[in-house]
Amino acid sequence: MPRRRTPDGGRRPQRRKSVLHGPGGEGGDAFRCVGCRLEVPLAAPGTAHRNHCPHCLTSRHVDRRVPGDRAADCGGRMAALSMTVRSNGEWLLIHQCVTCGELSANRIAGDDNALALMRLAMRPLADGKLPVRALLTL
Amino acid sequence: MSDHDLDGSRHRRTSTDPARTGAIPRAGTFECLRCGLTVTRLGPDGDVRNHCPSCLHSQHVEDHVRGGPAECRGRMSPIAIAVLRNDDWMVIHRCTRCDELTSSPVCRDDNQLILMRMAVRPLAQPPFPLEVFADL
């Protein structure tokens, strides 16, 4: 496995993604969301690897490990499952394929729906049992 | 789980070495890779657990893409909590060696403080100002 971090501790810049997004594998500068049918442009503020709809955060299972490798033949809808944070404070979305159950992580983009992101991040805290149990263990 | 299942798994473990065959035994103990705690395989509810209840770290022993045992055997650190539609909680693990993601259900005796820390970590450094939501 190649190391993902550069020797000086910083992250390498994102690779350019060169895949065809149009219908039937044609070149295109937009894709249609499989969740809400929104036409999403590929150019996203803050990331070169847009893979989810900025409105409903739904993605599609086409890549296996490297963004843009198109190695997965599943093609299922991937629903946003939870939110995690990198050590440098960047938010990552975790998607789960509803067809095959595969998990993947992707950085959020600058134009992602803030309400949907917040709702996902607040979901473990919403039912209120966790803070009570955490305080009881102290 | 019934006693019959427990006996069956014990027989299987004595007949075939799990370290050699790669099969994950249902009974017995394992040692946490991170904190060294000896953990029983079976949780308090009788379900098989795959992460340490104290530090929630796990080991990459199962290949989730192809199925079957994985050769990686790296340490998997917990990165997120997911709440399913049926209100079940899952811990998302990421392998520190090969970056594979897995999810496993939260056990009843898992460390609540670490679960709490994972839940509030996104809110500590939000990418957008949270004051906007007060106006909604």
Side-chain angles (χ1 to χ4, degrees), chain B residues 54-131:
Chain B
S54 169
C55 66
L56 304 191
H57 279 247
S58 177
Q59 192 182 10
H60 191 188
V61 289
E62 209 175 330
D63 198 315
H64 289 260
V65 179
R66 293 187 306 254
E71 301 96 52
C72 173
R73 304 193 82 81
R75 180 166 58 86
M76 303 195 82
S77 58
I79 58 167
I81 305 179
V83 184
L84 303 182
R85 282 169 178 271
N86 53 2
D87 277 349
D88 280 349
W89 285 30
M90 308 287 278
V91 186
I92 314 265
H93 285 101
R94 164 179 263 161
C95 181
T96 52
R97 195 156 165 247
C98 67
D99 274 351
E100 175 83 8
L101 294 172
T102 63
S103 66
S104 59
V106 171
C107 225
R108 207 179 51 195
D109 59 348
D110 280 347
N111 192 339
Q112 301 290 328
L113 290 176
I114 294 187
L115 287 177
M116 183 75 187
R117 195 182 67 183
M118 274 197 291
V120 299
R121 202 188 288 160
L123 305 174
Q125 286 173 299
F128 32 78
L130 296 181
E131 291 81 32

Side-chain angles (χ1 to χ4, degrees), chain A residues 17-64:
Chain A
K17 208 163 77 162
S18 57
V19 285
L20 303 174
H21 280 272
E26 301 157 22
D29 54 357
F31 65 91
R32 192 167 294 275
C33 170
V34 290
C36 65
R37 311 303 297 163
L38 183 77
E39 183 92 1
V40 182
L42 284 185
T47 177
H49 296 164
R50 155 122 69 197
N51 75 345
H52 57 263
C53 169
H55 175 63
C56 68
L57 308 183
T58 304
S59 177
R60 211 172 148 226
H61 191 189
V62 284
D63 295 339
R64 192 172 288 161

Side-chain angles (χ1 to χ4, degrees), chain A residues 2-15 46 49 65 67 84-92 105-107, chain B residues 77 79 94-99 101:
Chain A
R3 288 206 173 268
R4 297 193 65 192
R5 285 171 196 280
T6 52
D8 56 341
R11 286 202 160 248
R12 56 158 175 73
Q14 287 190 311
R15 293 192 196 93
H49 296 164
R65 188 170 290 247
T84 181
V85 188
R86 268 189 196 153
S87 52
N88 57 1
E90 276 182 338
W91 282 24
L92 295 176
N106 185 256
R107 283 175 59 208
Chain B
S77 58
I79 58 167
R94 164 179 263 161
C95 181
T96 52
R97 195 156 165 247
C98 67
D99 274 351
L101 294 172

